[in-house]
Amino acid sequence: CATVTPQQKLGEAFQLLQENRPIPAEALMRQAIDEFKAQGSDYDLGVAQFMYGQFIRSKHFTWQFFRSYYPNTATQEQRNAMAKSYFVAARDSFRKALTNPKLAQDQRTGYFWREYLANIELGDTPETCASLRSMKTSNDAYQAASPGAKVYVPEPYKTFDEFIESSLSKAECNTSK
């Protein structure tokens, strides 16, 4: 089956990485990034940029393979800087997507989740904490507008608030606002 959409390309790239086939995976990720840019799909672009940043730092992107694509990159610091540039771009794309006034409140919470993950990768504690607080505010608004709505909570947490409080503590956020 031919890959048609950039979302499908990212899914196929993920599968190829699981099969230890980084060369076609890398090509699909870069194609998806280009297509999401052309579409103006900020959220999806952020997902693709985040995935590519993780890929740059992964074991799948060996030094030999990496240098064949980026011959002017000779050090781990340069490689980390390149990955960081993709995480910054992802965070910016998620923030741009959050400005959409038509965005549903539950989607908004998910977008803050992605921003939070990018901030963790960047090692940016103040921004990580801000993302967590924004996620909490967004989820509170969603719950107020949709009482009883099911909200995804990662294991081992039982409630969204428990997850947020634990994450704030792990990130060493000052919990006073």
Side-chain angles (χ1 to χ4, degrees):
C1 174
T3 303
V4 178
T5 69
Q7 290 90 347
Q8 289 171 320
K9 288 178 182 182
L10 283 184
E12 188 173 329
F14 181 79
Q15 183 61 41
L16 288 167
L17 289 173
Q18 301 305 305
E19 298 168 5
N20 199 27
R21 297 177 57 204
I23 294 172
E26 193 275 344
L28 288 171
M29 284 184 276
R30 287 200 294 157
Q31 289 171 20
I33 288 170
D34 290 344
E35 290 174 29
F36 287 135
K37 280 181 185 175
Q39 292 174 358
S41 180
D42 297 312
Y43 175 77
D44 293 321
L45 175 59
V47 170
Q49 292 164 325
F50 185 84
M51 185 175 175
Y52 198 78
Q54 288 183 311
F55 174 69
I56 288 172
R57 293 198 316 203
S58 77
K59 65 179 172 62
H60 296 290
F61 212 176
T62 64
W63 271 106
Q64 179 182 0
F65 180 39
F66 185 79
R67 286 191 180 131
S68 71
Y69 278 83
Y70 304 103
N72 296 326
T73 305
T75 67
Q76 185 65 44
E77 290 78 20
Q78 289 171 311
R79 187 171 175 165
N80 288 342
M82 183 177 287
K84 181 178 179 178
S85 73
Y86 278 92
F87 294 131
V88 168
R91 179 175 66 185
D92 292 347
S93 293
F94 296 135
R95 287 179 176 171
K96 189 173 178 188
L98 279 161
T99 64
N100 181 349
K102 296 179 182 175
L103 194 61
Q105 200 63 46
D106 59 332
Q107 289 175 308
R108 190 169 302 282
T109 301
Y111 287 20
F112 282 122
W113 167 257
R114 291 289 191 169
E115 180 184 300
Y116 159 73
L117 294 176
N119 286 322
I120 288 174
E121 291 290 341
L122 290 166
D124 191 335
T125 299
E127 291 293 331
T128 298
C129 297
S131 296
L132 284 165
R133 290 186 182 109
S134 294
M135 202 184 325
K136 166 103 172 85
T137 300
S138 179
N139 186 66
D140 288 349
Y142 173 61
Q143 290 295 308
S146 305
K150 183 160 175 53
V151 175
Y152 169 77
V153 180
E155 289 191 14
Y157 307 103
K158 303 232 184 299
T159 67
F160 191 82
D161 287 344
E162 181 184 340
F163 159 71
I164 292 291
E165 290 306 315
S166 176
S167 298
L168 286 166
S169 176
K170 286 178 187 172
E172 299 180 356
C173 301
N174 177 351
T175 55
S176 64
K177 292 186 180 179

